Amino acid sequence: MTKVSMTVNGKAVSAEIEPRTLLVQFLRDHLRLTGTHVGCDTSQCGACMVHVDGRAVKSCTTLAVTVDGSHVTTIEGLAKGDKLHPMQEAFREHHGLQCGFCTPGMIMSAVDIVNRKGHNLDEATIRHELEGNICRCTGYHNIVKAIADGAKHMASTPAE
Amino acid sequence: MYAFTHHSATSIADAVKSVGEGKYLAGGHTLVPTMKQRLAMPGNIVDLNKVAELKGVSDNGGVLTVKAMTRHYEVENSPVVQKAIPGLAKLAGGIGDPQVRHRGTMGGSVANNDPAADYPAAVLALNATIVTDRRRIAADDYFKGLFTTALEDSELITAIEFPHADSFSYAKFRNPASLYAMVGVAIAKKGGAVRVAVTGAGSDGVFRWKEAEDKLAANFTAAALDGLAVSPSRVNGDLHGSAEYRAHLIGVMAKRAMGA
Ligand SMILES: Cc1cc2nc3c(=O)[nH]c(=O)nc-3n(C[C@H](O)[C@H](O)[C@H](O)COP(=O)(O)OP(=O)(O)OC[C@H]3O[C@@H](n4cnc5c(N)ncnc54)[C@H](O)[C@@H]3O)c2cc1C
Ligand code: FES
Ligand code: FES
């Protein structure tokens, strides 16, 4: 067993874990943050996406021990109480989801895209930047619209 | 994944001393998937993520040094890389997807030598030097075949040194599912010398295409490559593309790297 400590959604957590524990297992099984999903478990689909020190990563391909000391944000960390994050609100407004399985990863990816590329995102940029996310339902069209709109609304809301 | 012990290294010396029969962990974006599939089963993992002396990029006006733990995202966005060898920053920006680039490292990619990886083509074309904890290895002596390099057990890549070139460009035809190169061609020119490195295609991994180098040294234009072809016999075929298809693609990508 190895001790890990990190800040998850603003709260300090530490635990004794097996070194082979994936970050996604740590979040879901140890911290009961089940908003982060496992779609493929092979680094392809992005359902497991979280932010580590402000950058989107696939938590199914990251060992928890390797991000010891980091700040991690999951989908649960975006809303402020009952008030949805502007990107969550945009997905709701534009019907950017059907079954919703990919949605936590899509939203974490979307927020990361805005952090890196700014608030005015054209369709080509969004589609290109979504390369690491797979959705089996929507055909992506409304996801792209939601992200473009969510990006604009994030400009008028304080950053995550 | 099988159980293993984990040591978070504090320095290069600590990492090399601790690794034993185990493996180094850099970005983990090759090693973790391989361990999940039980294709790799190291008993001990030495984690490089907290080794400060393995991070960063510098340039002395003639040579760009990228330390091993520099992530693809950092290479892509580094003003130092963009100024010294802009084509290398561009190549890094075409690796995988944004999340892979946030974790994956240059040292991990060059140590792994996946036959479809991008960096090996840049290392070979730019005649880079692989710096390890114990020696310096020229690119021409480093790549030894599929997933095989000149590295000894426990040998740690600390940095890669890229001499500046007059020009460097890379054209990649990516596999839309894996995002790796079906074929990638890197071309570097320095004075009268031209080096052309091909990744994704060779049955022995990345290789130099000498015939193209000679043609381009005489006439550095895309047209100089007209009619030149790699023999399918030295090229890999698989379900994504036959050897003939890939061999043809090498010529096409070489011309694209030349701006055609
Ligand atoms: C979905 C996906 C898409 C990808 N697409 C591409 C792509 O388009 N092009 C591409 O080139 N790559 C691609 N990759 C691979 C990615 O770039 C990897 O991150 C990279 O090949 C390995 O780097 P790493 O830092 O993750 O190494 P790790 O996975 O940590 O290590 C890989 C190997 O190198 C060894 N190692 C690591 N660092 C050192 C060191 N400093 N010295 C000695 N040995 C070391 C490890 O022990 C291990 O054997 C992709 C990966 C994924 C998951
Ligand atoms: S579950 Fe991690 S990428 Fe699919
Ligand atoms: S909404 Fe079902 S996978 Fe995207």
Side-chain angles (χ1 to χ4, degrees):
Chain A
M1 303 294 263
T2 305
K3 183 168 178 197
V4 288
S5 306
M6 58 184 93
T7 307
V8 178
N9 299 333
K11 267 196 283 200
V13 298
S14 44
E16 291 279 336
I17 58 170
E18 278 195 78
R20 61 177 161 177
T21 310
L22 298 167
L23 179 58
V24 69
Q25 293 170 323
F26 182 65
L27 296 169
R28 288 179 58 87
D29 302 350
H30 294 253
L31 304 180
R32 302 284 166 193
L33 292 169
T34 53
T36 303
H37 291 167
V38 179
C40 63
D41 200 27
T42 57
S43 331
Q44 309 293 320
C45 76
C48 62
M49 212 176 287
V50 301
H51 295 183
V52 174
D53 295 329
R55 298 263 174 252
V57 308
K58 293 173 177 175
S59 63
C60 76
T61 313
T62 307
L63 295 175
V65 282
T66 207
V67 299
D68 176 64
S70 300
H71 285 260
V72 176
T73 306
T74 71
I75 188 72
E76 289 91 344
L78 291 188
K80 297 253 181 316
D82 285 344
K83 191 165 165 29
L84 292 180
H85 183 279
M87 192 57 79
Q88 292 174 304
E89 189 57 43
F91 269 68
R92 195 178 72 89
E93 183 64 27
H94 292 273
H95 197 54
L97 60 148
Q98 288 179 22
C99 78
F101 194 84
C102 70
T103 315
M106 286 288 177
I107 291 177
M108 296 314 285
S109 190
V111 173
D112 178 63
I113 297 171
V114 178
N115 290 342
R116 286 183 292 111
K117 302 268 164 187
H119 297 277
N120 283 311
L121 299 171
D122 61 34
E123 180 180 341
T125 303
I126 296 173
R127 288 186 183 272
H128 179 66
E129 291 291 328
L130 280 182
E131 211 150 38
N133 296 82
I134 293 174
C135 173
R136 299 303 304 269
C137 304
T138 63
Y140 301 96
H141 204 63
N142 287 353
I143 292 176
V144 174
K145 279 202 260 178
I147 293 175
D149 194 39
K152 292 209 167 59
H153 283 100
M154 278 174 67
S156 48
T157 326
E160 176 207 320
Chain B
M1 217 183 310
Y2 287 113
F4 52 82
T5 53
H6 173 266
H7 173 70
S8 186
T10 51
S11 66
I12 292 171
D14 178 43
V16 174
K17 176 174 77 84
S18 315
V19 74
E21 306 275 287
K23 275 196 174 289
Y24 297 115
L25 177 74
H29 270 53
T30 292
L31 188 57
V32 171
T34 344
M35 286 169 64
K36 284 184 184 181
Q37 292 173 303
R38 301 188 168 186
L39 294 171
M41 294 166 242
N44 182 33
I45 290 286
V46 171
D47 195 328
L48 305 175
N49 282 278
K50 288 189 180 167
V51 183
E53 56 182 329
L54 286 176
K55 294 178 188 174
V57 169
S58 61
D59 189 83
N60 68 6
V63 178
L64 169 73
T65 301
V66 180
K67 300 243 181 99
M69 284 301 292
T70 309
R71 310 210 189 255
H72 308 334
Y73 177 79
E74 292 157 355
V75 174
E76 176 188 2
N77 290 288
S78 156
V80 176
V81 180
Q82 285 167 354
K83 179 156 179 281
I85 309 180
L88 184 64
K90 195 158 166 256
L91 175 148
I95 298 175
D97 56 40
Q99 296 74 43
V100 170
R101 298 196 287 276
H102 286 158
R103 293 300 300 168
T105 68
M106 185 180 288
S109 178
V110 173
N112 193 52
N113 191 21
D114 187 302
D118 298 301
Y119 277 138
V123 168
L124 196 54
L126 285 162
N127 200 8
T129 300
I130 289 90
V131 185
T132 77
D133 62 297
R134 60 199 72 167
R135 58 183 170 145
R136 302 166 56 81
I137 310 172
D140 284 324
D141 302 326
Y142 176 80
F143 298 103
K144 299 283 188 194
L146 309 180
F147 298 103
T148 311
T149 68
L151 291 178
E152 299 165 357
D153 291 342
S154 89
E155 189 165 9
L156 178 76
I157 298 179
T158 56
I160 320 271
E161 293 178 359
F162 295 93
H164 293 189
D166 303 336
S167 77
F168 171 75
S169 59
Y170 178 66
K172 171 181 183 179
F173 191 92
R174 42 169 34 193
N175 180 313
S178 76
L179 310 177
Y180 279 89
M182 292 270 292
V183 167
V185 178
I187 301 180
K189 179 177 189 302
K190 186 165 187 153
V194 177
R195 291 170 65 105
V196 178
V198 179
T199 190
S203 34
D204 275 326
V206 66
F207 67 90
R208 279 175 68 188
W209 186 13
K210 295 271 171 55
E211 293 83 354
E213 293 181 353
D214 293 343
K215 293 275 187 202
L216 291 172
N219 172 13
F220 197 65
T221 65
L225 298 171
D226 280 346
L228 203 62
V230 172
S231 163
S233 63
R234 67 191 292 196
V235 172
N236 234 350
D238 60 21
L239 80 166
H240 304 297
S242 64
E244 289 73 19
Y245 177 76
R246 275 203 173 81
H248 176 72
L249 212 47
I250 294 172
V252 176
M253 287 301 117
K255 285 191 175 180
R256 281 197 197 164
M258 290 299 297

